[in-house]
Amino acid sequence: PTGECDVCGRMTNRHRVDLAALQRLWGANYVGLQHLLAPLSSGGSRRFEVDLPGQGAVSVCVLERGPYTSFIEIQQAAAGAAPGPCFTLRVYHDARMAEVVAFQGHRYFRPHYDYPNSRMYQPDEKYQVNKLFYEWLQRQLAALCVWQAAGEACGALDRQR
């Protein structure tokens, strides 16, 4: 959407935050996260690591756990020279949403940024970072599913012998 600047009268390109799209994305992140966090469901452990073939080790640490909100850090081991992604999420259990609040040292993204800006964030950086987590999570869950299916197939072969 475009509008006229109140100060100078020039036409400006205004970014509108799509809150419904953000909430859908946070909801999808929460659902996917529940599958990844299954080892933590007992409530006792605060940290676990899973090594996925071809994906590397993924470390999950519960930084803070409350009845309605938790903070979780998820980090993937480096693949070669590039560092692995590191996400910190605020998980709203009552609302069933998971929001990325930090990524690779960048913290607490605003819903909208003017562009250009000093950090060169996109106007919808908050959405972009949460979408990146969603896509990363889907890839990890697919690898986990293949890994578990292969384990079940191997177990079935062992039972047949």
Side-chain angles (χ1 to χ4, degrees):
T2 58
E4 189 173 306
C5 176
D6 295 333
V7 177
C8 65
R10 291 188 321 203
M11 294 302 285
T12 60
N13 192 5
R14 294 186 183 170
H15 172 78
R16 292 194 187 265
V17 176
D18 187 349
L19 186 58
L22 262 173
Q23 289 175 331
R24 282 191 303 273
L25 189 54
W26 293 337
N29 285 345
Y30 182 86
V31 170
L33 201 55
Q34 296 313 301
H35 295 290
L36 187 65
L37 298 180
L40 295 178
S41 62
S42 63
S45 177
R46 297 183 71 77
R47 184 185 225 29
F48 78 95
E49 192 169 291
V50 61
D51 192 10
L52 300 172
Q55 301 294 316
V58 175
S59 169
V60 179
C61 179
V62 177
L63 303 173
E64 183 180 312
R65 183 181 291 167
Y68 304 108
T69 307
S70 296
F71 278 91
I72 298 172
E73 182 179 81
I74 300 176
Q75 186 167 11
Q76 185 171 7
C86 180
F87 300 94
T88 303
L89 294 108
R90 181 182 297 131
V91 181
Y92 304 96
H93 303 290
D94 54 344
R96 298 183 169 279
M97 295 182 180
E99 171 190 12
V100 176
V101 294
F103 174 68
Q104 305 294 80
H106 299 269
R107 300 178 47 170
Y108 300 107
F109 300 98
R110 295 192 319 234
H112 169 71
Y113 290 92
D114 290 330
Y115 190 82
N117 56 68
S118 62
R119 292 189 167 192
M120 293 306 291
Y121 287 156
Q122 293 296 312
D124 63 344
E125 191 76 14
K126 183 180 200 104
Y127 182 85
Q128 295 292 332
V129 169
N130 279 277
K131 179 73 171 173
L132 173 66
F133 176 73
Y134 171 80
E135 291 171 355
W136 176 88
L137 182 60
Q138 295 308 307
R139 182 180 170 121
Q140 303 311 310
L141 292 174
L144 184 62
C145 186
V146 167
W147 180 65
Q148 288 174 338
E152 289 172 9
C154 292
L157 287 176
D158 289 341
R159 285 190 297 273
Q160 289 177 355
R161 290 184 188 161

